[in-house]
PDB file of all heavy atoms in Angstrom:
ATOM      1  N   PRO A 263      50.058 -34.223   2.986  1.00 37.00           N
ATOM      2  CA  PRO A 263      49.243 -33.407   3.496  1.00 37.00           C
ATOM      3  C   PRO A 263      47.780 -33.644   3.002  1.00 37.00           C
ATOM      4  O   PRO A 263      47.658 -33.838   1.763  1.00 37.00           O
ATOM      5  CB  PRO A 263      49.653 -31.815   3.211  1.00 37.00           C
ATOM      6  CG  PRO A 263      51.037 -32.047   2.820  1.00 37.00           C
ATOM      7  CD  PRO A 263      51.298 -33.346   2.238  1.00 37.00           C
ATOM      8  N   SER A 264      46.829 -33.711   3.862  1.00 37.00           N
ATOM      9  CA  SER A 264      45.486 -33.852   3.245  1.00 37.00           C
ATOM     10  C   SER A 264      44.868 -32.595   2.537  1.00 37.00           C
ATOM     11  O   SER A 264      45.136 -31.464   3.025  1.00 37.00           O
ATOM     12  CB  SER A 264      44.410 -34.097   4.600  1.00 37.00           C
ATOM     13  OG  SER A 264      44.924 -35.331   5.132  1.00 37.00           O
ATOM     14  N   PRO A 265      44.326 -32.752   1.451  1.00 36.00           N
ATOM     15  CA  PRO A 265      43.852 -31.593   0.765  1.00 36.00           C
ATOM     16  C   PRO A 265      42.780 -30.835   1.503  1.00 36.00           C
ATOM     17  O   PRO A 265      41.963 -31.496   2.096  1.00 36.00           O
ATOM     18  CB  PRO A 265      43.244 -32.089  -0.528  1.00 36.00           C
ATOM     19  CG  PRO A 265      43.977 -33.466  -0.785  1.00 36.00           C
ATOM     20  CD  PRO A 265      44.165 -34.029   0.721  1.00 36.00           C
ATOM     21  N   SER A 266      42.841 -29.574   1.439  1.00 36.00           N
ATOM     22  CA  SER A 266      41.720 -28.816   2.017  1.00 36.00           C
ATOM     23  C   SER A 266      40.517 -28.689   1.376  1.00 36.00           C
ATOM     24  O   SER A 266      40.491 -28.478   0.160  1.00 36.00           O
ATOM     25  CB  SER A 266      42.267 -27.360   2.423  1.00 36.00           C
ATOM     26  OG  SER A 266      43.380 -27.422   3.163  1.00 36.00           O
ATOM     27  N   PRO A 267      39.333 -28.772   1.987  1.00 37.00           N
ATOM     28  CA  PRO A 267      38.111 -28.742   1.281  1.00 37.00           C
ATOM     29  C   PRO A 267      37.930 -27.452   0.683  1.00 37.00           C
ATOM     30  O   PRO A 267      38.318 -26.394   1.299  1.00 37.00           O
ATOM     31  CB  PRO A 267      36.940 -29.000   2.351  1.00 37.00           C
ATOM     32  CG  PRO A 267      37.769 -29.764   3.524  1.00 37.00           C
ATOM     33  CD  PRO A 267      39.145 -29.350   3.399  1.00 37.00           C
ATOM     34  N   THR A 268      37.294 -27.316  -0.484  1.00 37.00           N
ATOM     35  CA  THR A 268      37.153 -25.982  -1.106  1.00 37.00           C
ATOM     36  C   THR A 268      35.664 -25.547  -1.131  1.00 37.00           C
ATOM     37  O   THR A 268      35.401 -24.429  -1.708  1.00 37.00           O
ATOM     38  CB  THR A 268      37.665 -26.046  -2.552  1.00 37.00           C
ATOM     39  OG1 THR A 268      37.001 -27.152  -3.333  1.00 37.00           O
ATOM     40  CG2 THR A 268      39.185 -26.319  -2.600  1.00 37.00           C
ATOM     41  N   GLY A 269      34.778 -26.201  -0.478  1.00 40.00           N
ATOM     42  CA  GLY A 269      33.523 -25.843  -0.473  1.00 40.00           C
ATOM     43  C   GLY A 269      32.840 -26.184   0.819  1.00 40.00           C
ATOM     44  O   GLY A 269      33.243 -26.997   1.614  1.00 40.00           O
ATOM     45  N   GLY A 270      31.623 -25.532   1.141  1.00 40.00           N
ATOM     46  CA  GLY A 270      30.942 -25.804   2.488  1.00 40.00           C
ATOM     47  C   GLY A 270      30.138 -27.031   2.294  1.00 40.00           C
ATOM     48  O   GLY A 270      29.603 -27.587   3.362  1.00 40.00           O
ATOM     49  N   ASN A 271      29.720 -27.529   1.194  1.00 46.00           N
ATOM     50  CA  ASN A 271      28.772 -28.639   1.101  1.00 46.00           C
ATOM     51  C   ASN A 271      29.484 -29.835   1.735  1.00 46.00           C
ATOM     52  O   ASN A 271      30.561 -30.312   1.456  1.00 46.00           O
ATOM     53  CB  ASN A 271      28.452 -28.919  -0.403  1.00 46.00           C
ATOM     54  CG  ASN A 271      27.525 -30.143  -0.562  1.00 46.00           C
ATOM     55  OD1 ASN A 271      28.076 -31.300  -0.566  1.00 46.00           O
ATOM     56  ND2 ASN A 271      26.288 -29.774  -0.687  1.00 46.00           N
ATOM     57  N   ASP A 272      28.824 -30.640   2.614  1.00 43.00           N
ATOM     58  CA  ASP A 272      29.353 -31.748   3.300  1.00 43.00           C
ATOM     59  C   ASP A 272      29.818 -32.892   2.384  1.00 43.00           C
ATOM     60  O   ASP A 272      30.889 -33.359   2.548  1.00 43.00           O
ATOM     61  CB  ASP A 272      28.371 -32.271   4.314  1.00 43.00           C
ATOM     62  CG  ASP A 272      28.874 -33.420   5.069  1.00 43.00           C
ATOM     63  OD1 ASP A 272      29.875 -33.234   5.714  1.00 43.00           O
ATOM     64  OD2 ASP A 272      28.380 -34.534   5.088  1.00 43.00           O
ATOM     65  N   GLU A 273      28.899 -33.015   1.317  1.00 42.00           N
ATOM     66  CA  GLU A 273      29.345 -34.139   0.271  1.00 42.00           C
ATOM     67  C   GLU A 273      30.595 -33.765  -0.449  1.00 42.00           C
ATOM     68  O   GLU A 273      31.437 -34.596  -0.621  1.00 42.00           O
ATOM     69  CB  GLU A 273      28.162 -34.408  -0.557  1.00 42.00           C
ATOM     70  CG  GLU A 273      28.482 -35.458  -1.645  1.00 42.00           C
ATOM     71  CD  GLU A 273      27.357 -35.833  -2.656  1.00 42.00           C
ATOM     72  OE1 GLU A 273      26.295 -35.039  -2.365  1.00 42.00           O
ATOM     73  OE2 GLU A 273      27.488 -36.536  -3.601  1.00 42.00           O
ATOM     74  N   ASN A 274      30.729 -32.484  -0.929  1.00 42.00           N
ATOM     75  CA  ASN A 274      31.948 -32.015  -1.523  1.00 42.00           C
ATOM     76  C   ASN A 274      33.163 -32.170  -0.709  1.00 42.00           C
ATOM     77  O   ASN A 274      34.208 -32.584  -1.105  1.00 42.00           O
ATOM     78  CB  ASN A 274      31.762 -30.704  -2.016  1.00 42.00           C
ATOM     79  CG  ASN A 274      30.800 -30.486  -3.138  1.00 42.00           C
ATOM     80  OD1 ASN A 274      30.388 -31.480  -3.707  1.00 42.00           O
ATOM     81  ND2 ASN A 274      30.443 -29.271  -3.531  1.00 42.00           N
ATOM     82  N   GLY A 275      33.056 -31.896   0.707  1.00 38.00           N
ATOM     83  CA  GLY A 275      34.081 -31.952   1.519  1.00 38.00           C
ATOM     84  C   GLY A 275      34.596 -33.306   1.552  1.00 38.00           C
ATOM     85  O   GLY A 275      35.740 -33.624   1.801  1.00 38.00           O
ATOM     86  N   ARG A 276      33.731 -34.280   1.640  1.00 38.00           N
ATOM     87  CA  ARG A 276      34.032 -35.688   1.782  1.00 38.00           C
ATOM     88  C   ARG A 276      34.813 -36.123   0.483  1.00 38.00           C
ATOM     89  O   ARG A 276      35.810 -36.914   0.649  1.00 38.00           O
ATOM     90  CB  ARG A 276      32.949 -36.662   1.960  1.00 38.00           C
ATOM     91  CG  ARG A 276      32.227 -36.462   3.353  1.00 38.00           C
ATOM     92  CD  ARG A 276      31.372 -37.683   3.542  1.00 38.00           C
ATOM     93  NE  ARG A 276      30.318 -37.757   2.583  1.00 38.00           N
ATOM     94  CZ  ARG A 276      29.180 -37.260   2.641  1.00 38.00           C
ATOM     95  NH1 ARG A 276      28.829 -36.538   3.776  1.00 38.00           N
ATOM     96  NH2 ARG A 276      28.108 -37.417   1.740  1.00 38.00           N
ATOM     97  N   THR A 277      34.340 -35.709  -0.677  1.00 37.00           N
ATOM     98  CA  THR A 277      34.914 -36.150  -1.897  1.00 37.00           C
ATOM     99  C   THR A 277      36.168 -35.573  -2.358  1.00 37.00           C
ATOM    100  O   THR A 277      36.871 -35.860  -3.273  1.00 37.00           O
ATOM    101  CB  THR A 277      33.900 -36.054  -3.007  1.00 37.00           C
ATOM    102  OG1 THR A 277      33.541 -34.625  -3.227  1.00 37.00           O
ATOM    103  CG2 THR A 277      32.810 -37.007  -2.786  1.00 37.00           C
ATOM    104  N   ARG A 278      36.704 -34.452  -1.657  1.00 36.00           N
ATOM    105  CA  ARG A 278      37.912 -33.659  -2.068  1.00 36.00           C
ATOM    106  C   ARG A 278      39.143 -34.508  -1.698  1.00 36.00           C
ATOM    107  O   ARG A 278      40.163 -34.320  -2.191  1.00 36.00           O
ATOM    108  CB  ARG A 278      37.956 -32.457  -1.362  1.00 36.00           C
ATOM    109  CG  ARG A 278      36.838 -31.288  -1.605  1.00 36.00           C
ATOM    110  CD  ARG A 278      36.878 -30.940  -3.090  1.00 36.00           C
ATOM    111  NE  ARG A 278      35.762 -30.218  -3.392  1.00 36.00           N
ATOM    112  CZ  ARG A 278      35.588 -29.608  -4.569  1.00 36.00           C
ATOM    113  NH1 ARG A 278      36.300 -29.926  -5.602  1.00 36.00           N
ATOM    114  NH2 ARG A 278      34.630 -28.731  -4.746  1.00 36.00           N
ATOM    115  N   ARG A 279      38.995 -35.366  -0.789  1.00 36.00           N
ATOM    116  CA  ARG A 279      40.110 -36.258  -0.446  1.00 36.00           C
ATOM    117  C   ARG A 279      39.818 -37.716  -0.880  1.00 36.00           C
ATOM    118  O   ARG A 279      38.938 -38.281  -0.470  1.00 36.00           O
ATOM    119  CB  ARG A 279      40.365 -36.181   0.986  1.00 36.00           C
ATOM    120  CG  ARG A 279      41.699 -36.901   1.419  1.00 36.00           C
ATOM    121  CD  ARG A 279      42.143 -36.737   2.820  1.00 36.00           C
ATOM    122  NE  ARG A 279      43.327 -37.091   3.134  1.00 36.00           N
ATOM    123  CZ  ARG A 279      43.636 -38.446   3.569  1.00 36.00           C
ATOM    124  NH1 ARG A 279      42.624 -39.221   3.627  1.00 36.00           N
ATOM    125  NH2 ARG A 279      44.833 -38.759   3.710  1.00 36.00           N
ATOM    126  N   LEU A 280      40.749 -38.280  -1.649  1.00 38.00           N
ATOM    127  CA  LEU A 280      40.608 -39.579  -2.282  1.00 38.00           C
ATOM    128  C   LEU A 280      41.353 -40.603  -1.243  1.00 38.00           C
ATOM    129  O   LEU A 280      42.535 -40.688  -1.396  1.00 38.00           O
ATOM    130  CB  LEU A 280      41.049 -39.732  -3.577  1.00 38.00           C
ATOM    131  CG  LEU A 280      40.513 -38.624  -4.584  1.00 38.00           C
ATOM    132  CD1 LEU A 280      41.176 -38.802  -5.943  1.00 38.00           C
ATOM    133  CD2 LEU A 280      39.072 -38.629  -4.667  1.00 38.00           C
ATOM    134  N   ASN A 281      40.580 -41.302  -0.588  1.00 36.00           N
ATOM    135  CA  ASN A 281      41.179 -42.409   0.154  1.00 36.00           C
ATOM    136  C   ASN A 281      41.000 -43.786  -0.310  1.00 36.00           C
ATOM    137  O   ASN A 281      40.715 -44.714   0.322  1.00 36.00           O
ATOM    138  CB  ASN A 281      40.400 -42.406   1.675  1.00 36.00           C
ATOM    139  CG  ASN A 281      40.831 -41.197   2.560  1.00 36.00           C
ATOM    140  OD1 ASN A 281      41.965 -40.760   2.496  1.00 36.00           O
ATOM    141  ND2 ASN A 281      39.933 -40.634   3.265  1.00 36.00           N
ATOM    142  N   TRP A 282      41.274 -43.757  -1.720  1.00 38.00           N
ATOM    143  CA  TRP A 282      41.198 -45.018  -2.354  1.00 38.00           C
ATOM    144  C   TRP A 282      42.551 -45.746  -2.057  1.00 38.00           C
ATOM    145  O   TRP A 282      43.571 -45.267  -1.924  1.00 38.00           O
ATOM    146  CB  TRP A 282      40.998 -44.898  -3.830  1.00 38.00           C
ATOM    147  CG  TRP A 282      41.935 -44.197  -4.437  1.00 38.00           C
ATOM    148  CD1 TRP A 282      42.026 -42.880  -4.708  1.00 38.00           C
ATOM    149  CD2 TRP A 282      43.111 -44.634  -5.353  1.00 38.00           C
ATOM    150  NE1 TRP A 282      43.152 -42.317  -5.406  1.00 38.00           N
ATOM    151  CE2 TRP A 282      43.848 -43.512  -5.793  1.00 38.00           C
ATOM    152  CE3 TRP A 282      43.684 -45.829  -5.404  1.00 38.00           C
ATOM    153  CZ2 TRP A 282      44.927 -43.619  -6.473  1.00 38.00           C
ATOM    154  CZ3 TRP A 282      44.815 -46.006  -6.153  1.00 38.00           C
ATOM    155  CH2 TRP A 282      45.463 -44.906  -6.787  1.00 38.00           C
ATOM    156  N   THR A 283      42.418 -47.134  -1.968  1.00 37.00           N
ATOM    157  CA  THR A 283      43.585 -47.969  -1.422  1.00 37.00           C
ATOM    158  C   THR A 283      44.096 -48.888  -2.474  1.00 37.00           C
ATOM    159  O   THR A 283      44.882 -49.624  -2.149  1.00 37.00           O
ATOM    160  CB  THR A 283      43.014 -48.812  -0.204  1.00 37.00           C
ATOM    161  OG1 THR A 283      42.181 -49.617  -0.582  1.00 37.00           O
ATOM    162  CG2 THR A 283      42.742 -47.754   0.949  1.00 37.00           C
ATOM    163  N   LEU A 284      43.542 -48.938  -3.753  1.00 39.00           N
ATOM    164  CA  LEU A 284      43.953 -49.839  -4.731  1.00 39.00           C
ATOM    165  C   LEU A 284      43.489 -51.204  -4.413  1.00 39.00           C
ATOM    166  O   LEU A 284      43.778 -52.129  -5.186  1.00 39.00           O
ATOM    167  CB  LEU A 284      45.465 -49.789  -4.828  1.00 39.00           C
ATOM    168  CG  LEU A 284      46.156 -50.018  -6.186  1.00 39.00           C
ATOM    169  CD1 LEU A 284      47.686 -50.156  -5.957  1.00 39.00           C
ATOM    170  CD2 LEU A 284      45.717 -50.992  -6.918  1.00 39.00           C
ATOM    171  N   ILE A 285      42.796 -51.515  -3.266  1.00 36.00           N
ATOM    172  CA  ILE A 285      42.588 -52.834  -2.840  1.00 36.00           C
ATOM    173  C   ILE A 285      41.216 -53.346  -3.120  1.00 36.00           C
ATOM    174  O   ILE A 285      40.913 -54.390  -2.855  1.00 36.00           O
ATOM    175  CB  ILE A 285      43.018 -53.007  -1.378  1.00 36.00           C
ATOM    176  CG1 ILE A 285      42.251 -52.097  -0.466  1.00 36.00           C
ATOM    177  CG2 ILE A 285      44.390 -52.814  -1.262  1.00 36.00           C
ATOM    178  CD1 ILE A 285      42.368 -52.313   0.890  1.00 36.00           C
ATOM    179  N   SER A 286      40.312 -52.549  -3.738  1.00 39.00           N
ATOM    180  CA  SER A 286      39.029 -52.965  -4.013  1.00 39.00           C
ATOM    181  C   SER A 286      38.333 -51.979  -4.956  1.00 39.00           C
ATOM    182  O   SER A 286      38.802 -51.089  -5.346  1.00 39.00           O
ATOM    183  CB  SER A 286      38.125 -53.036  -2.652  1.00 39.00           C
ATOM    184  OG  SER A 286      37.739 -51.677  -2.315  1.00 39.00           O
ATOM    185  N   GLY A 287      37.142 -52.524  -5.435  1.00 39.00           N
ATOM    186  CA  GLY A 287      36.547 -51.657  -6.551  1.00 39.00           C
ATOM    187  C   GLY A 287      36.071 -50.390  -5.929  1.00 39.00           C
ATOM    188  O   GLY A 287      35.615 -49.421  -6.551  1.00 39.00           O
ATOM    189  N   LEU A 288      36.074 -50.170  -4.598  1.00 34.00           N
ATOM    190  CA  LEU A 288      35.652 -48.954  -3.936  1.00 34.00           C
ATOM    191  C   LEU A 288      36.467 -47.761  -4.346  1.00 34.00           C
ATOM    192  O   LEU A 288      35.924 -46.597  -4.441  1.00 34.00           O
ATOM    193  CB  LEU A 288      35.684 -49.161  -2.381  1.00 34.00           C
ATOM    194  CG  LEU A 288      34.550 -50.127  -1.764  1.00 34.00           C
ATOM    195  CD1 LEU A 288      34.866 -50.241  -0.254  1.00 34.00           C
ATOM    196  CD2 LEU A 288      33.236 -49.609  -2.139  1.00 34.00           C
ATOM    197  N   PHE A 289      37.730 -47.995  -4.622  1.00 41.00           N
ATOM    198  CA  PHE A 289      38.609 -46.809  -4.964  1.00 41.00           C
ATOM    199  C   PHE A 289      38.125 -46.319  -6.265  1.00 41.00           C
ATOM    200  O   PHE A 289      38.150 -45.145  -6.496  1.00 41.00           O
ATOM    201  CB  PHE A 289      40.030 -47.161  -5.043  1.00 41.00           C
ATOM    202  CG  PHE A 289      40.629 -47.600  -6.402  1.00 41.00           C
ATOM    203  CD1 PHE A 289      41.206 -46.617  -7.154  1.00 41.00           C
ATOM    204  CD2 PHE A 289      40.561 -48.939  -6.775  1.00 41.00           C
ATOM    205  CE1 PHE A 289      41.703 -47.012  -8.303  1.00 41.00           C
ATOM    206  CE2 PHE A 289      41.027 -49.310  -7.957  1.00 41.00           C
ATOM    207  CZ  PHE A 289      41.653 -48.351  -8.731  1.00 41.00           C
ATOM    208  N   ILE A 290      37.580 -47.065  -7.265  1.00 41.00           N
ATOM    209  CA  ILE A 290      37.079 -46.470  -8.370  1.00 41.00           C
ATOM    210  C   ILE A 290      35.821 -45.689  -7.968  1.00 41.00           C
ATOM    211  O   ILE A 290      35.718 -44.564  -8.618  1.00 41.00           O
ATOM    212  CB  ILE A 290      36.627 -47.594  -9.390  1.00 41.00           C
ATOM    213  CG1 ILE A 290      37.830 -48.415  -9.835  1.00 41.00           C
ATOM    214  CG2 ILE A 290      35.828 -47.189 -10.661  1.00 41.00           C
ATOM    215  CD1 ILE A 290      38.671 -47.555 -10.799  1.00 41.00           C
ATOM    216  N   ALA A 291      34.964 -46.215  -7.215  1.00 36.00           N
ATOM    217  CA  ALA A 291      33.747 -45.464  -6.900  1.00 36.00           C
ATOM    218  C   ALA A 291      34.006 -44.027  -6.279  1.00 36.00           C
ATOM    219  O   ALA A 291      33.397 -43.027  -6.580  1.00 36.00           O
ATOM    220  CB  ALA A 291      32.918 -46.253  -5.927  1.00 36.00           C
ATOM    221  N   VAL A 292      35.166 -44.012  -5.386  1.00 36.00           N
ATOM    222  CA  VAL A 292      35.450 -42.753  -4.797  1.00 36.00           C
ATOM    223  C   VAL A 292      35.850 -41.656  -5.719  1.00 36.00           C
ATOM    224  O   VAL A 292      35.487 -40.572  -5.844  1.00 36.00           O
ATOM    225  CB  VAL A 292      36.576 -42.967  -3.681  1.00 36.00           C
ATOM    226  CG1 VAL A 292      37.093 -41.698  -3.204  1.00 36.00           C
ATOM    227  CG2 VAL A 292      35.999 -43.796  -2.656  1.00 36.00           C
ATOM    228  N   ILE A 293      36.692 -42.243  -6.786  1.00 40.00           N
ATOM    229  CA  ILE A 293      37.213 -41.154  -7.814  1.00 40.00           C
ATOM    230  C   ILE A 293      36.109 -40.911  -8.661  1.00 40.00           C
ATOM    231  O   ILE A 293      36.106 -39.699  -9.264  1.00 40.00           O
ATOM    232  CB  ILE A 293      38.368 -41.899  -8.524  1.00 40.00           C
ATOM    233  CG1 ILE A 293      39.497 -42.131  -7.566  1.00 40.00           C
ATOM    234  CG2 ILE A 293      38.824 -41.010  -9.664  1.00 40.00           C
ATOM    235  CD1 ILE A 293      40.699 -42.850  -8.237  1.00 40.00           C
ATOM    236  N   VAL A 294      35.054 -41.667  -8.904  1.00 40.00           N
ATOM    237  CA  VAL A 294      34.017 -41.294  -9.727  1.00 40.00           C
ATOM    238  C   VAL A 294      33.193 -40.145  -9.095  1.00 40.00           C
ATOM    239  O   VAL A 294      32.811 -39.281  -9.913  1.00 40.00           O
ATOM    240  CB  VAL A 294      33.014 -42.410  -9.936  1.00 40.00           C
ATOM    241  CG1 VAL A 294      31.720 -42.037 -10.512  1.00 40.00           C
ATOM    242  CG2 VAL A 294      33.671 -43.616 -10.862  1.00 40.00           C
ATOM    243  N   ILE A 295      33.054 -40.320  -7.747  1.00 35.00           N
ATOM    244  CA  ILE A 295      32.411 -39.253  -7.088  1.00 35.00           C
ATOM    245  C   ILE A 295      33.173 -37.894  -7.220  1.00 35.00           C
ATOM    246  O   ILE A 295      32.578 -36.848  -7.532  1.00 35.00           O
ATOM    247  CB  ILE A 295      32.244 -39.548  -5.621  1.00 35.00           C
ATOM    248  CG1 ILE A 295      31.316 -40.794  -5.382  1.00 35.00           C
ATOM    249  CG2 ILE A 295      31.593 -38.318  -4.756  1.00 35.00           C
ATOM    250  CD1 ILE A 295      31.239 -41.259  -4.130  1.00 35.00           C
ATOM    251  N   VAL A 296      34.485 -37.965  -7.033  1.00 41.00           N
ATOM    252  CA  VAL A 296      35.150 -36.735  -7.308  1.00 41.00           C
ATOM    253  C   VAL A 296      35.221 -36.143  -8.639  1.00 41.00           C
ATOM    254  O   VAL A 296      35.114 -34.896  -8.871  1.00 41.00           O
ATOM    255  CB  VAL A 296      36.723 -37.070  -6.833  1.00 41.00           C
ATOM    256  CG1 VAL A 296      37.639 -35.756  -7.075  1.00 41.00           C
ATOM    257  CG2 VAL A 296      36.788 -37.498  -5.377  1.00 41.00           C
ATOM    258  N   ALA A 297      35.276 -37.077  -9.647  1.00 40.00           N
ATOM    259  CA  ALA A 297      35.075 -36.630 -10.981  1.00 40.00           C
ATOM    260  C   ALA A 297      33.767 -35.895 -11.297  1.00 40.00           C
ATOM    261  O   ALA A 297      33.734 -34.928 -12.019  1.00 40.00           O
ATOM    262  CB  ALA A 297      35.273 -37.782 -12.086  1.00 40.00           C
ATOM    263  N   VAL A 298      32.809 -36.374 -10.633  1.00 40.00           N
ATOM    264  CA  VAL A 298      31.479 -35.654 -10.738  1.00 40.00           C
ATOM    265  C   VAL A 298      31.651 -34.127 -10.126  1.00 40.00           C
ATOM    266  O   VAL A 298      31.008 -33.311 -10.768  1.00 40.00           O
ATOM    267  CB  VAL A 298      30.327 -36.386  -9.972  1.00 40.00           C
ATOM    268  CG1 VAL A 298      29.115 -35.650 -10.066  1.00 40.00           C
ATOM    269  CG2 VAL A 298      30.144 -37.814 -10.654  1.00 40.00           C
ATOM    270  N   VAL A 299      32.371 -34.127  -9.150  1.00 39.00           N
ATOM    271  CA  VAL A 299      32.443 -32.876  -8.454  1.00 39.00           C
ATOM    272  C   VAL A 299      33.188 -31.913  -9.320  1.00 39.00           C
ATOM    273  O   VAL A 299      32.814 -30.607  -9.385  1.00 39.00           O
ATOM    274  CB  VAL A 299      33.334 -32.980  -7.124  1.00 39.00           C
ATOM    275  CG1 VAL A 299      33.579 -31.657  -6.619  1.00 39.00           C
ATOM    276  CG2 VAL A 299      32.515 -33.816  -6.108  1.00 39.00           C
ATOM    277  N   ILE A 300      34.093 -32.385 -10.111  1.00 39.00           N
ATOM    278  CA  ILE A 300      34.838 -31.522 -11.107  1.00 39.00           C
ATOM    279  C   ILE A 300      33.879 -30.653 -12.093  1.00 39.00           C
ATOM    280  O   ILE A 300      34.054 -29.655 -12.359  1.00 39.00           O
ATOM    281  CB  ILE A 300      35.828 -32.361 -11.972  1.00 39.00           C
ATOM    282  CG1 ILE A 300      36.980 -32.914 -11.060  1.00 39.00           C
ATOM    283  CG2 ILE A 300      36.625 -31.488 -12.962  1.00 39.00           C
ATOM    284  CD1 ILE A 300      37.902 -33.861 -11.728  1.00 39.00           C
ATOM    285  N   LEU A 301      32.852 -31.474 -12.477  1.00 39.00           N
ATOM    286  CA  LEU A 301      31.922 -30.821 -13.349  1.00 39.00           C
ATOM    287  C   LEU A 301      31.333 -29.589 -12.924  1.00 39.00           C
ATOM    288  O   LEU A 301      30.865 -28.754 -13.733  1.00 39.00           O
ATOM    289  CB  LEU A 301      30.883 -31.968 -13.805  1.00 39.00           C
ATOM    290  CG  LEU A 301      31.447 -33.190 -14.347  1.00 39.00           C
ATOM    291  CD1 LEU A 301      30.218 -34.111 -14.800  1.00 39.00           C
ATOM    292  CD2 LEU A 301      32.206 -32.979 -15.701  1.00 39.00           C
TER     293      LEU A 301
END
């Protein structure tokens, strides 16, 4: 199941779900964004 967004901010909503694919450096960048959200 896709995780449900926990905030109304559009950027937060995008970063709540990590669609990293292990296949490029992009997956690191996505998780970095989510880690920023944690703070």
Side-chain angles (χ1 to χ4, degrees):
S264 300
S266 300
T268 58
N271 181 276
D272 182 61
E273 181 179 355
N274 287 350
R276 289 197 303 270
T277 57
R278 296 300 180 181
R279 188 171 188 274
L280 308 182
N281 286 322
W282 58 276
T283 63
L284 214 191
I285 59 176
S286 74
L288 288 178
F289 93 93
I290 293 289
V292 172
I293 301 179
V294 166
I295 294 172
V296 177
V298 171
V299 173
I300 297 175
L301 299 179

